[in-house]
């Protein structure tokens, strides 16, 4: 029975480490780090699958309800954090797009004004 707990503990530690690394990647996200982000997300999914397999092996164990309250809080917290991240990335993209468009508009005005002076 102890081996099952050790196995679950190992998977949980790997999962927590992957979440920590995901936080580092996301906090300083650049388009070039998309592959690393995708890889970490895949590791997290497989980690959750491994934890679920371990959970199925420990079906006869009772868990206090406080643990579920914390896990629910954690899931909500992570979801809100990811939503905020997505919104901030979208705002960043929009501002870059606006600056690029304004730069193009400025160049058009300058080139049109230059041609008017020449003719």
């Amino acid at each position: 029975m102890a081996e099952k707990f050790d196995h679950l503990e190992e998977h949980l530690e790997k999962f927590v480490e992957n979440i920590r690394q995901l936080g580092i990647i996301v906090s300083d996200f650049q388009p070039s780090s998309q592959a690393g982000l995708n890889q970490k997300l895949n590791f997290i999914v497989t980690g959750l699958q491994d934890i679920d397999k371990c959970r199925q092996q420990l079906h006869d164990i009772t868990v206090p309800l406080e643990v579920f309250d914390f896990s629910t809080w954690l899931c909500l917290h992570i979801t809100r954090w990811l939503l905020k991240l997505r919104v901030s990335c979208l705002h960043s993209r929009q501002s870059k797009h606006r600056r690029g468009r304004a730069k193009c508009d400025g160049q058009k005005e300058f080139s049109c004004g230059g041609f008017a002076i020449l003719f």
Side-chain angles (χ1 to χ4, degrees):
M1 188 65 138
E3 306 90 39
K4 293 179 183 180
F5 284 116
D6 292 339
H7 196 61
L8 177 62
E9 182 180 5
E10 179 184 321
H11 284 295
L12 287 171
E13 287 173 354
K14 285 181 186 178
F15 181 74
V16 168
E17 180 61 22
N18 281 328
I19 292 291
R20 187 189 68 77
Q21 291 174 1
L22 178 69
I24 293 169
I25 292 170
V26 168
S27 66
D28 189 31
F29 183 76
Q30 299 293 323
S32 60
S33 62
Q34 183 67 47
L37 177 66
N38 291 342
Q39 183 181 20
K40 278 297 164 199
L41 289 173
N42 286 334
F43 284 149
I44 289 171
V45 169
T46 56
L48 286 172
Q49 291 170 343
D50 292 340
I51 290 170
D52 189 52
K53 289 176 189 173
C54 292
R55 183 189 58 85
Q56 291 171 358
Q57 294 174 354
L58 299 170
H59 61 81
D60 57 341
I61 305 298
T62 57
V63 178
L65 290 176
E66 293 84 16
V67 173
F68 293 114
D69 289 340
F70 175 73
S71 63
T72 303
W73 174 84
L74 184 62
C75 289
L76 290 173
H77 185 69
I78 290 172
T79 304
R80 287 182 188 140
W81 175 68
L82 289 173
L83 182 60
K84 287 179 184 178
L85 171 71
R86 184 173 182 181
V87 168
S88 67
C89 287
L90 287 173
H91 286 304
S92 173
R93 292 282 178 191
Q94 285 177 340
S95 66
K96 286 181 183 179
H97 177 70
R98 287 184 189 134
R99 282 184 291 198
R101 196 168 69 200
K103 187 176 180 181
C104 290
D105 291 343
Q107 289 174 349
K108 285 180 187 176
E109 288 177 18
F110 177 74
S111 62
C112 290
F115 285 128
I117 293 172
L118 291 175
F119 295 111

